[in-house]
């Protein structure tokens, strides 16, 4: 496994230490396998959608929870009542647990299950106080006369 030295980022970027920690964590995280497959789409400037292929799972067998900056999607396959004899089994029927790290101010709008695809809609809502604002430049004479 390849490791990356993020020391230059710490030296030149102020306040991005958390971002570097996330990058290190993502590089070291082997827990999330490729099952179930998923897409992450950018729908607009601050809108996202995670689409997961969850064929064979019903709504009752899926659970989505969001705590802080983590989104957890679990699938618990119920035990089959009938015994099946497969000649070939290509559709995985195992449970899964997938965690997504959400950026600051990203929240879950909702989720839907359609045609074996679980869609989770997300939005980033930056508080007004944190949005960029223009600072007006005035002359020092104007500021001195107001004091």
């Amino acid at each position: 496994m390849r490791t990356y030295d993020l020391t230059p980022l710490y030296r030149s970027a102020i306040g991005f230490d958390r971002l570097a920690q996330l990058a290190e964590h993502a590089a070291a995280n082997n827990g999330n396998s490729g099952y179930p497959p998923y897409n992450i789409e950018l729908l607009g400037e601050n809108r996202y959608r995670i689409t997961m292929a969850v064929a064979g799972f019903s709504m009752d067998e899926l659970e989505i929870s969001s705590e802080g900056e983590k989104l957890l999607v679990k699938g618990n396959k119920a035990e089959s009542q009938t015994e099946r004899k497969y000649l070939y089994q290509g559709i995985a029927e195992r449970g899964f647990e997938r965690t997504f790290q959400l950026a600051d101010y990203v929240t879950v709008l909702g989720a839907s299950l359609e045609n074996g695809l679980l869609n989770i809609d997300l939005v980033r809502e930056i508080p007004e106080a944190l949005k960029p604002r223009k600072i007006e430049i005035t002359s020092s004479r104007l500021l001195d006369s107001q004091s």
Side-chain angles (χ1 to χ4, degrees):
M1 173 189 258
R2 183 182 290 183
T3 59
Y4 298 97
D5 181 20
L6 299 174
T7 307
L9 180 62
Y10 290 120
R11 279 184 269 153
S12 62
I14 298 170
F16 287 94
D17 51 333
R18 187 172 172 281
L19 178 65
Q21 289 170 349
L22 285 174
E24 288 174 348
H25 176 71
N29 188 6
N30 297 331
N32 276 346
S33 68
Y35 177 76
Y38 65 93
N39 295 332
I40 300 176
E41 296 176 74
L42 177 63
L43 301 177
E45 187 177 341
N46 290 311
R47 293 185 53 238
Y48 307 90
R49 174 176 287 157
I50 299 170
T51 302
M52 299 180 74
V54 292
F57 284 86
S58 68
M59 280 194 256
D60 296 339
E61 296 169 329
L62 296 169
E63 179 184 329
I64 303 170
S65 61
S66 176
E67 183 178 334
E69 295 165 351
K70 288 194 179 191
L71 174 66
L72 178 64
V73 182
K74 289 183 187 178
N76 295 310
K77 195 71 180 139
E79 291 294 321
S80 178
Q81 300 299 327
T82 60
E83 187 175 322
R84 296 182 179 181
K85 197 173 199 176
Y86 292 102
L87 297 176
Y88 172 79
Q89 184 177 8
I91 300 173
E93 291 187 346
R94 64 181 184 268
F96 66 88
E97 189 171 303
R98 178 160 298 276
T99 303
F100 296 93
Q101 185 72 36
L102 302 178
D104 292 337
Y105 312 111
V106 173
T107 58
V108 178
L109 287 178
S112 63
L113 181 63
E114 185 177 350
N115 298 326
L117 297 175
L118 175 64
N119 294 307
I120 304 169
D121 291 321
L122 308 156
V123 66
R124 178 178 28 204
E125 296 174 331
I126 300 171
E128 282 297 320
L130 297 178
K131 288 183 180 176
R133 61 185 178 98
K134 186 173 181 173
I135 308 298
E136 188 176 328
I137 302 171
T138 60
S139 69
S140 61
R141 290 183 190 168
L142 182 61
L143 290 175
D144 292 336
S145 66
Q146 290 179 357
S147 325

